Every structure is written in C-alpha cells, then in structure tokens.
Amino acid sequence: MTTRQHDASVYEEIQTSERFRELRSRFRRWVFPMTVAFLAWYVLYVIMSGFARGFMGTKLFGNINVALVFGILQFVSTFLIAWGYSRHAARKLDPLADELRHEVEEKTAA
C-alpha cells in the first residue's frame, strides 16, 4: 500500500466547516462535564480516605466498610462513563464523523 499526498486545503476546509464545529461541540459537551464529574468524585474519594478516616472506616456489614464500597463504586462509575460515552458516540458523533470522512474521501480520491 502506498501513501498518497493530499492537498492540505481539503482538510482545512473540513476543519472550518460548520459540521466539523458541530462534531467538536457535541464531543466537548459530553466529555468535559463527564471528566469534571469523575475527577470530582475521585478527589472526594481520596480526600475522604485521608481526612475522614472514621467515616470511611465505618463498617456497613461484616468486614465491608464505606471506603471499600466507595472504591468499588470508582470502578462502577468508570464502566458507566465508558458505556455512556459509547452510546453517545454511536448516536451523536459517529454519524456526523462518517459524513465528514466520506466528504474527505471524495475530495481526496483521484
């Protein structure tokens, strides 16, 4: 397979298009709030583990305490965010990205 050189103006044209700006906007509207929410949740966990030892050490049942539940919920929230992003991308990002990709392919084919 060989690499073809493409005119940069095709990519610059796509980058300045309204549809590309919409794609970036949709991405940012989901990613930035989720990143802030997850980081806040993680920092809360770390701070509580360091400064609220009594609360975090509270036994809920058996040898299961609040800290362990919070730790497990970190993993759960990570998987939920990944699942949510996958759904968001499939519904909101991928169709628009496919349109843009096809447009670039049409302009660079030759």
Side-chain angles (χ1 to χ4, degrees):
M1 180 176 210
T2 60
T3 304
R4 291 186 296 183
Q5 295 294 328
H6 300 294
D7 185 8
S9 64
V10 171
Y11 301 104
E12 291 168 351
E13 180 184 330
I14 295 295
Q15 185 178 6
T16 59
S17 72
E18 184 59 38
R19 290 185 311 166
F20 186 77
R21 281 195 293 265
E22 176 63 25
L23 178 64
R24 284 190 343 199
S25 176
R26 290 178 187 185
F27 173 78
R28 289 176 177 165
R29 279 194 309 254
W30 202 93
V31 170
F32 289 160
M34 281 295 120
T35 300
V36 169
F38 182 78
L39 287 175
W41 162 234
Y42 176 73
V43 168
L44 174 68
Y45 173 63
V46 170
I47 289 172
M48 300 258 314
S49 294
F51 296 104
R53 291 185 176 273
F55 172 71
M56 295 297 272
T58 302
K59 300 240 185 223
L60 298 175
F61 46 91
N63 287 327
I64 307 297
N65 61 18
V66 173
L68 182 62
V69 171
F70 272 32
I72 290 171
L73 288 175
Q74 289 290 316
F75 288 101
V76 171
S77 63
T78 299
F79 289 115
L80 287 174
I81 290 170
W83 172 76
Y85 177 76
S86 176
R87 287 179 45 91
H88 171 73
R91 285 185 290 127
K92 302 284 185 173
L93 304 178
D94 293 347
L96 189 52
D98 285 342
E99 288 177 17
L100 290 168
R101 180 175 51 87
H102 289 302
E103 185 178 328
V104 168
E105 288 172 349
E106 287 174 3
K107 289 181 179 184
T108 58

